[in-house]
Amino acid sequence: IMANQAKFLTLPLIPLMEALEMLMQRTVFQFGDTFWLQLIGVAMGAPPAPTIATISYGTHEEFIIDRFKDFLGYYKRYIDDVFGVWVCHPDPEIDSRRWRPF
C-alpha cells in the first residue's frame, strides 16, 4: 500500500497502516477450547481478512496483468482465488521461456 501511495490519495494511509499493523500483531483465534495468538498475518475467518487479501493481492495483480497480458487469454479473480487461461505459443521452447517468470 505504501509503495502505491499515489493511487490512494484520499485514503489516510498512516492511520490505516497503524491499524493493520496492530491487527496483524494482536489477532487471537479460538481452536476448540484453546486460544492462539496469530504471529504473522490475519487469521482466516477474521472480518478484515478478505479486504486485506484483496488489497494485498491487488498490488501483485497489477504487475502480473501488465507483464503477461499478451499471454493471458482470460483472467478473473475473486478475493485471493484466481482463474486464468494461458495462451500457448506454438513453439514449446518460446512458451516455456514465457511461462517461467510467471
Side-chain angles (χ1 to χ4, degrees):
I1 294 173
M2 296 304 282
N4 293 302
Q5 289 184 36
K7 296 178 184 176
F8 305 105
L9 295 176
T10 60
L11 193 64
L13 290 180
I14 300 301
L16 174 64
M17 295 307 292
E18 289 172 355
L20 288 174
E21 182 179 350
M22 186 170 51
L23 177 71
M24 291 181 154
Q25 292 177 351
R26 295 182 177 92
T27 300
V28 176
F29 65 94
Q30 183 176 0
F31 181 73
D33 60 351
T34 61
F35 290 86
W36 299 79
L37 174 64
Q38 180 85 19
L39 297 178
I40 299 172
V42 177
M44 288 184 62
T51 303
I52 293 170
T54 298
I55 292 170
S56 176
Y57 193 79
T59 60
H60 299 290
E61 186 175 53
E62 285 184 351
F63 169 77
I64 290 169
I65 290 174
D66 186 54
R67 184 168 179 195
F68 298 103
K69 64 184 170 221
D70 295 335
F71 316 128
L72 292 171
Y74 183 82
Y75 181 93
K76 290 292 179 188
R77 174 174 67 96
Y78 178 74
I79 303 177
D80 62 346
D81 296 320
V82 174
F83 179 80
V85 175
W86 184 265
V87 179
C88 296
H89 190 278
D91 183 336
E93 287 189 29
I94 293 174
D95 193 52
S96 179
R97 280 197 307 268
R98 290 177 173 177
W99 175 255
R100 254 183 243 124
F102 184 71

